[in-house]
Amino acid sequence: MKKIIPGLLLFIILPFFLTSCWDIRDINNRAFVAAIGLDLPEDPTQKYQVTFQFWDPIKILRKNETNTITEKVEAQSINQAVELMQARLSKTITFTHLQLLLVGEDLARTKNFQDLANFFLKNSEIALKLRLNFIQGKTAYETLKSQPKLGKNITDKLIDMSQLEKKFSLPRTSAFYYFLSDLRKTEGTALGSRIVLPGEFLIRNGGAVFGDWKLKGFLSAEEAQAANWLVEDTQAIVVGSTPEGTYTYHSKISRLNMEITEMPNGLPKFTVNLKLIGSIVEEEGKHLDLSQSENIEKMEILFSQVIAEQVKNAIHKSQKEFGIDYLGFGKVLKEKRPKIYENIDWQKQFPHIPIEVSVKAQVKRFGLIK
Amino acid sequence: MLGIILIVAIIEVDFATFPRHVVNIAGETAWLSMLIGAALVIITLVILIKLASLFPRDNFFTYCSKVWGKPIGTLINIGYLVFWFLFVSILLQDTANMNQGIFLPTTPSMIPLILILIAVIYLVAYGITNVIRLYQLLLPFIVLPLILVVVLMIRSIDLTNYLPFLSNGILPVFKGALVFLGAFQGLEIILFVAPFVTNINKAYLPAILSILFLMSLLLGIGSGSIGIMGVENIRETVLPSITMLSLIELPGFPVERFGLLLTLPVILGIFSSLAVYIYLISFALIDFFKIERRKTVISIVAVLSLIIIYFIPDLTWTMKLREILIHLTLLFILVIPLLTLISAKIRGQGELK
């Protein structure tokens, strides 16, 4: 009896402690944020225009209907914006399902990205694998308000795009945390993802160039494809022309190596060695007999030259037009030859560093006809 | 039995934070520090078992005075008590911070701590045998999620995050190894539970195998965190292991928040570490002062530990105290036992002489 009574008491008391105490929040009483958009405010006294896209639980099961609600507020900080938005809702704002962060061009150009990222890094509700895109020419609010071509909301569409297109060469794909990681490793230089909204529907391609923690410009789809040979494990469609015809090559990187040699003046010299394997997937003009090894060799030389030209253009853009090392040469130097890196002012020297390119494209297959 | 106690007692909040401590010193080569640190843990383990096997029927408090003489012995014993009190209080403060930051943000931090301590008092009052029995039950719930974490991490590791190799020379690597050794309080338990082990001389192999297994897991989590997050991010993060898990992604997999995998090991680890240390403090006091009311002493120890955390002003102080604790741990798990062993050997003390 002496043991039964305390045991019973404990059994009665325990269920009261199993309700998560003060933190109990029913799923029906939560407003789940799917995406956040950050822009410059219209009101000059504020610092941010924050757009929240919430899941609309009632519409999730309905077909052919947008299942999100998009609202914006302006505030001095993102946390303050959350508070202001909370005043408009009957449910508690919850970030556990936040998947997407969009940043408008004007804000990205003026604000240090570390400041923008701070809210997301500090908040324990947010899973840091969220996607990040920078909007060229439009605001994050306009983008979140746009209609998806397929699917029921823009957030889902962008998440699907960034997952499926990991190996796709036209956009730069860099999730929030890895983008921030690149910035931290290089003192504010990185290549992020870009979105353009030319009409009613958005396009996700190209890249956003960051230097000194701020947006400095954008790369077009073609430029991003060229840059991706150096920064992504990419697969790309390459078109090469000869006087006889036009040939299309589907290639993927088999090996990328950056050799570094130290020059007498203490500066490094890079040699980019890129090896690719792929297939001839289309021919126009003179159709070659691809079962003949000399024709394969001809194609390999052609595509090696085309891709080498793309890589050189990407390097030229980075060194001469932007003067920003978003292709990651400094990162490789720091990893492989840290002493050289420490002894020079990399940001200042980068535009003058000699970089040679050597590309070897191999044709392994040619489809179902030769 | 000893192996189980060691695994369960060593795992607590620190396995979520240790990558930061080591990375802060050794940078990208912290994985090597962890590897050397793991070897140091094994060496320390052997030293501790060697010392315990010299006095298989006594606990450290009993033979410390015999080896060092009464004044120094008493001083060392008080040192252990203060060290454990400090450890328990920091562990409680870490738990409170973790609850406020991640699990239960709006619940008053004292409520979960009081609940944990009520269960700990209840468990400890029934003696070490029951604590060990519970440890046997808890072991799979602590270890299996950790194995899963290591498996999940492999796919996301970026090998370039381990470069440059030895950029600051070898010295920071060795310093990092000592920090790794100091990050895991709990090894010294061997000296106090040895009398309950049937034959401490035969405990070498099982204890080493258990620690090897635990070290493999910790090495996996620590070096995997570097491979996934990179050192720049780890330096900025309060709980790197948990943050690292929130980055892991398996497209199409129904589970999205892998960070929650660490919830169970963390909570059970905290509970089991508190239980063993409150047991050690309480029974040391009971033995020393020959007190009969065990439950009262255990409750007072638990309440005192809780009161101490009111003197830790904020998270910054908790982090500073953790770092101090790492250095103190080296003193109490390695330096003092090693000197005691040498002294005992020179004087020809112990049963095996």
Side-chain angles (χ1 to χ4, degrees), chain A residues 185-206:
Chain A
K185 280 179 187 170
T186 56
E187 290 157 25
T189 304
L191 185 59
S193 309
R194 177 188 82 149
I195 285 175
V196 279
L197 202 63
E200 198 182 340
F201 301 110
L202 65 83
I203 301 170
R204 186 178 165 276
N205 64 17

PDB file of all heavy atoms in Angstrom, chain A residues 185-206:
ATOM      1  N   LYS A 185      33.140  31.731 -46.800  1.00  0.00           N
ATOM      2  CA  LYS A 185      34.476  31.228 -47.144  1.00  0.00           C
ATOM      3  C   LYS A 185      35.273  32.249 -47.950  1.00  0.00           C
ATOM      4  O   LYS A 185      36.493  32.187 -47.981  1.00  0.00           O
ATOM      5  CB  LYS A 185      34.348  29.947 -47.974  1.00  0.00           C
ATOM      6  CG  LYS A 185      34.072  28.729 -47.151  1.00  0.00           C
ATOM      7  CD  LYS A 185      33.937  27.513 -48.027  1.00  0.00           C
ATOM      8  CE  LYS A 185      33.501  26.323 -47.204  1.00  0.00           C
ATOM      9  NZ  LYS A 185      33.128  25.199 -48.020  1.00  0.00           N
ATOM     10  N   THR A 186      34.581  33.122 -48.655  1.00  0.00           N
ATOM     11  CA  THR A 186      35.278  33.995 -49.606  1.00  0.00           C
ATOM     12  C   THR A 186      35.123  35.474 -49.252  1.00  0.00           C
ATOM     13  O   THR A 186      35.328  36.320 -50.111  1.00  0.00           O
ATOM     14  CB  THR A 186      34.713  33.762 -51.008  1.00  0.00           C
ATOM     15  OG1 THR A 186      33.298  33.973 -50.946  1.00  0.00           O
ATOM     16  CG2 THR A 186      34.988  32.382 -51.539  1.00  0.00           C
ATOM     17  N   GLU A 187      34.739  35.752 -48.037  1.00  0.00           N
ATOM     18  CA  GLU A 187      34.528  37.127 -47.583  1.00  0.00           C
ATOM     19  C   GLU A 187      33.532  37.867 -48.460  1.00  0.00           C
ATOM     20  O   GLU A 187      33.763  39.006 -48.883  1.00  0.00           O
ATOM     21  CB  GLU A 187      35.855  37.885 -47.517  1.00  0.00           C
ATOM     22  CG  GLU A 187      36.747  37.388 -46.399  1.00  0.00           C
ATOM     23  CD  GLU A 187      38.211  37.689 -46.636  1.00  0.00           C
ATOM     24  OE1 GLU A 187      38.501  38.629 -47.367  1.00  0.00           O
ATOM     25  OE2 GLU A 187      39.034  36.963 -46.091  1.00  0.00           O
ATOM     26  N   GLY A 188      32.439  37.182 -48.799  1.00  0.00           N
ATOM     27  CA  GLY A 188      31.330  37.879 -49.445  1.00  0.00           C
ATOM     28  C   GLY A 188      31.178  37.695 -50.933  1.00  0.00           C
ATOM     29  O   GLY A 188      30.461  38.452 -51.570  1.00  0.00           O
ATOM     30  N   THR A 189      31.843  36.665 -51.500  1.00  0.00           N
ATOM     31  CA  THR A 189      31.727  36.431 -52.941  1.00  0.00           C
ATOM     32  C   THR A 189      31.028  35.092 -53.178  1.00  0.00           C
ATOM     33  O   THR A 189      31.398  34.097 -52.566  1.00  0.00           O
ATOM     34  CB  THR A 189      33.126  36.378 -53.592  1.00  0.00           C
ATOM     35  OG1 THR A 189      33.794  37.586 -53.278  1.00  0.00           O
ATOM     36  CG2 THR A 189      33.052  36.199 -55.086  1.00  0.00           C
ATOM     37  N   ALA A 190      30.030  35.083 -54.045  1.00  0.00           N
ATOM     38  CA  ALA A 190      29.349  33.814 -54.349  1.00  0.00           C
ATOM     39  C   ALA A 190      28.473  33.973 -55.584  1.00  0.00           C
ATOM     40  O   ALA A 190      28.232  35.089 -56.040  1.00  0.00           O
ATOM     41  CB  ALA A 190      28.504  33.373 -53.168  1.00  0.00           C
ATOM     42  N   LEU A 191      28.035  32.833 -56.095  1.00  0.00           N
ATOM     43  CA  LEU A 191      27.118  32.839 -57.234  1.00  0.00           C
ATOM     44  C   LEU A 191      25.809  32.193 -56.778  1.00  0.00           C
ATOM     45  O   LEU A 191      25.803  31.025 -56.388  1.00  0.00           O
ATOM     46  CB  LEU A 191      27.746  32.051 -58.399  1.00  0.00           C
ATOM     47  CG  LEU A 191      27.011  32.039 -59.719  1.00  0.00           C
ATOM     48  CD1 LEU A 191      26.814  33.445 -60.270  1.00  0.00           C
ATOM     49  CD2 LEU A 191      27.771  31.192 -60.756  1.00  0.00           C
ATOM     50  N   GLY A 192      24.736  32.980 -56.803  1.00  0.00           N
ATOM     51  CA  GLY A 192      23.450  32.487 -56.329  1.00  0.00           C
ATOM     52  C   GLY A 192      22.490  32.185 -57.471  1.00  0.00           C
ATOM     53  O   GLY A 192      22.844  32.315 -58.643  1.00  0.00           O
ATOM     54  N   SER A 193      21.263  31.798 -57.102  1.00  0.00           N
ATOM     55  CA  SER A 193      20.260  31.444 -58.111  1.00  0.00           C
ATOM     56  C   SER A 193      19.455  32.679 -58.520  1.00  0.00           C
ATOM     57  O   SER A 193      19.200  33.553 -57.701  1.00  0.00           O
ATOM     58  CB  SER A 193      19.308  30.398 -57.549  1.00  0.00           C
ATOM     59  OG  SER A 193      20.034  29.339 -57.003  1.00  0.00           O
ATOM     60  N   ARG A 194      19.033  32.690 -59.796  1.00  0.00           N
ATOM     61  CA  ARG A 194      18.304  33.857 -60.302  1.00  0.00           C
ATOM     62  C   ARG A 194      16.922  33.441 -60.807  1.00  0.00           C
ATOM     63  O   ARG A 194      16.741  32.337 -61.335  1.00  0.00           O
ATOM     64  CB  ARG A 194      19.092  34.462 -61.468  1.00  0.00           C
ATOM     65  CG  ARG A 194      18.403  35.631 -62.130  1.00  0.00           C
ATOM     66  CD  ARG A 194      19.119  36.061 -63.395  1.00  0.00           C
ATOM     67  NE  ARG A 194      18.744  35.230 -64.542  1.00  0.00           N
ATOM     68  CZ  ARG A 194      18.705  35.672 -65.805  1.00  0.00           C
ATOM     69  NH1 ARG A 194      19.017  36.926 -66.092  1.00  0.00           N
ATOM     70  NH2 ARG A 194      18.384  34.858 -66.786  1.00  0.00           N
ATOM     71  N   ILE A 195      15.990  34.375 -60.636  1.00  0.00           N
ATOM     72  CA  ILE A 195      14.659  34.204 -61.227  1.00  0.00           C
ATOM     73  C   ILE A 195      14.344  35.458 -62.027  1.00  0.00           C
ATOM     74  O   ILE A 195      14.614  36.565 -61.572  1.00  0.00           O
ATOM     75  CB  ILE A 195      13.587  33.988 -60.141  1.00  0.00           C
ATOM     76  CG1 ILE A 195      13.677  32.583 -59.567  1.00  0.00           C
ATOM     77  CG2 ILE A 195      12.188  34.241 -60.679  1.00  0.00           C
ATOM     78  CD1 ILE A 195      12.741  32.336 -58.420  1.00  0.00           C
ATOM     79  N   VAL A 196      13.774  35.254 -63.216  1.00  0.00           N
ATOM     80  CA  VAL A 196      13.285  36.417 -63.976  1.00  0.00           C
ATOM     81  C   VAL A 196      11.801  36.236 -64.219  1.00  0.00           C
ATOM     82  O   VAL A 196      11.295  35.109 -64.298  1.00  0.00           O
ATOM     83  CB  VAL A 196      14.025  36.610 -65.323  1.00  0.00           C
ATOM     84  CG1 VAL A 196      15.349  37.302 -65.119  1.00  0.00           C
ATOM     85  CG2 VAL A 196      14.239  35.312 -66.049  1.00  0.00           C
ATOM     86  N   LEU A 197      11.121  37.331 -64.305  1.00  0.00           N
ATOM     87  CA  LEU A 197       9.667  37.304 -64.477  1.00  0.00           C
ATOM     88  C   LEU A 197       9.322  38.171 -65.698  1.00  0.00           C
ATOM     89  O   LEU A 197       8.849  39.290 -65.566  1.00  0.00           O
ATOM     90  CB  LEU A 197       9.024  37.862 -63.208  1.00  0.00           C
ATOM     91  CG  LEU A 197       7.587  37.513 -62.889  1.00  0.00           C
ATOM     92  CD1 LEU A 197       7.410  36.039 -62.665  1.00  0.00           C
ATOM     93  CD2 LEU A 197       7.124  38.287 -61.661  1.00  0.00           C
ATOM     94  N   PRO A 198       9.598  37.637 -66.928  1.00  0.00           N
ATOM     95  CA  PRO A 198       9.428  38.486 -68.101  1.00  0.00           C
ATOM     96  C   PRO A 198       7.960  38.795 -68.406  1.00  0.00           C
ATOM     97  O   PRO A 198       7.637  39.853 -68.933  1.00  0.00           O
ATOM     98  CB  PRO A 198      10.058  37.672 -69.223  1.00  0.00           C
ATOM     99  CG  PRO A 198      10.090  36.269 -68.744  1.00  0.00           C
ATOM    100  CD  PRO A 198      10.050  36.287 -67.273  1.00  0.00           C
ATOM    101  N   GLY A 199       7.079  37.889 -68.080  1.00  0.00           N
ATOM    102  CA  GLY A 199       5.658  38.126 -68.354  1.00  0.00           C
ATOM    103  C   GLY A 199       4.842  37.623 -67.192  1.00  0.00           C
ATOM    104  O   GLY A 199       5.113  37.934 -66.038  1.00  0.00           O
ATOM    105  N   GLU A 200       3.886  36.784 -67.517  1.00  0.00           N
ATOM    106  CA  GLU A 200       3.010  36.247 -66.475  1.00  0.00           C
ATOM    107  C   GLU A 200       3.697  35.135 -65.670  1.00  0.00           C
ATOM    108  O   GLU A 200       3.437  34.952 -64.496  1.00  0.00           O
ATOM    109  CB  GLU A 200       1.744  35.715 -67.160  1.00  0.00           C
ATOM    110  CG  GLU A 200       0.578  35.537 -66.224  1.00  0.00           C
ATOM    111  CD  GLU A 200      -0.627  34.962 -66.958  1.00  0.00           C
ATOM    112  OE1 GLU A 200      -0.685  35.052 -68.205  1.00  0.00           O
ATOM    113  OE2 GLU A 200      -1.487  34.431 -66.270  1.00  0.00           O
ATOM    114  N   PHE A 201       4.573  34.390 -66.383  1.00  0.00           N
ATOM    115  CA  PHE A 201       5.194  33.222 -65.752  1.00  0.00           C
ATOM    116  C   PHE A 201       6.686  33.437 -65.501  1.00  0.00           C
ATOM    117  O   PHE A 201       7.371  34.078 -66.293  1.00  0.00           O
ATOM    118  CB  PHE A 201       5.002  31.989 -66.644  1.00  0.00           C
ATOM    119  CG  PHE A 201       3.562  31.673 -66.900  1.00  0.00           C
ATOM    120  CD1 PHE A 201       3.016  31.858 -68.161  1.00  0.00           C
ATOM    121  CD2 PHE A 201       2.743  31.222 -65.884  1.00  0.00           C
ATOM    122  CE1 PHE A 201       1.678  31.576 -68.403  1.00  0.00           C
ATOM    123  CE2 PHE A 201       1.403  30.945 -66.112  1.00  0.00           C
ATOM    124  CZ  PHE A 201       0.866  31.120 -67.382  1.00  0.00           C
ATOM    125  N   LEU A 202       7.165  32.871 -64.417  1.00  0.00           N
ATOM    126  CA  LEU A 202       8.582  33.074 -64.086  1.00  0.00           C
ATOM    127  C   LEU A 202       9.485  32.074 -64.797  1.00  0.00           C
ATOM    128  O   LEU A 202       9.053  30.987 -65.190  1.00  0.00           O
ATOM    129  CB  LEU A 202       8.789  33.016 -62.576  1.00  0.00           C
ATOM    130  CG  LEU A 202       8.542  31.717 -61.816  1.00  0.00           C
ATOM    131  CD1 LEU A 202       9.754  30.808 -61.902  1.00  0.00           C
ATOM    132  CD2 LEU A 202       8.256  32.039 -60.367  1.00  0.00           C
ATOM    133  N   ILE A 203      10.748  32.453 -64.909  1.00  0.00           N
ATOM    134  CA  ILE A 203      11.772  31.567 -65.468  1.00  0.00           C
ATOM    135  C   ILE A 203      12.909  31.496 -64.454  1.00  0.00           C
ATOM    136  O   ILE A 203      13.337  32.525 -63.931  1.00  0.00           O
ATOM    137  CB  ILE A 203      12.321  32.107 -66.814  1.00  0.00           C
ATOM    138  CG1 ILE A 203      11.195  32.241 -67.835  1.00  0.00           C
ATOM    139  CG2 ILE A 203      13.428  31.192 -67.360  1.00  0.00           C
ATOM    140  CD1 ILE A 203      11.600  32.975 -69.094  1.00  0.00           C
ATOM    141  N   ARG A 204      13.371  30.299 -64.192  1.00  0.00           N
ATOM    142  CA  ARG A 204      14.490  30.151 -63.266  1.00  0.00           C
ATOM    143  C   ARG A 204      15.713  29.710 -64.051  1.00  0.00           C
ATOM    144  O   ARG A 204      15.837  28.554 -64.441  1.00  0.00           O
ATOM    145  CB  ARG A 204      14.141  29.114 -62.196  1.00  0.00           C
ATOM    146  CG  ARG A 204      15.174  28.996 -61.129  1.00  0.00           C
ATOM    147  CD  ARG A 204      14.766  28.005 -60.060  1.00  0.00           C
ATOM    148  NE  ARG A 204      15.927  27.683 -59.271  1.00  0.00           N
ATOM    149  CZ  ARG A 204      16.819  26.772 -59.600  1.00  0.00           C
ATOM    150  NH1 ARG A 204      16.684  26.081 -60.700  1.00  0.00           N
ATOM    151  NH2 ARG A 204      17.860  26.542 -58.827  1.00  0.00           N
ATOM    152  N   ASN A 205      16.561  30.656 -64.371  1.00  0.00           N
ATOM    153  CA  ASN A 205      17.829  30.339 -65.023  1.00  0.00           C
ATOM    154  C   ASN A 205      18.842  31.442 -64.694  1.00  0.00           C
ATOM    155  O   ASN A 205      18.519  32.399 -63.990  1.00  0.00           O
ATOM    156  CB  ASN A 205      17.659  30.159 -66.539  1.00  0.00           C
ATOM    157  CG  ASN A 205      17.217  31.424 -67.244  1.00  0.00           C
ATOM    158  OD1 ASN A 205      17.328  32.516 -66.689  1.00  0.00           O
ATOM    159  ND2 ASN A 205      16.706  31.299 -68.442  1.00  0.00           N
ATOM    160  N   GLY A 206      20.056  31.307 -65.211  1.00  0.00           N
ATOM    161  CA  GLY A 206      21.071  32.328 -64.962  1.00  0.00           C
ATOM    162  C   GLY A 206      21.619  32.261 -63.546  1.00  0.00           C
ATOM    163  O   GLY A 206      21.474  31.248 -62.849  1.00  0.00           O
TER     164      GLY A 206
END
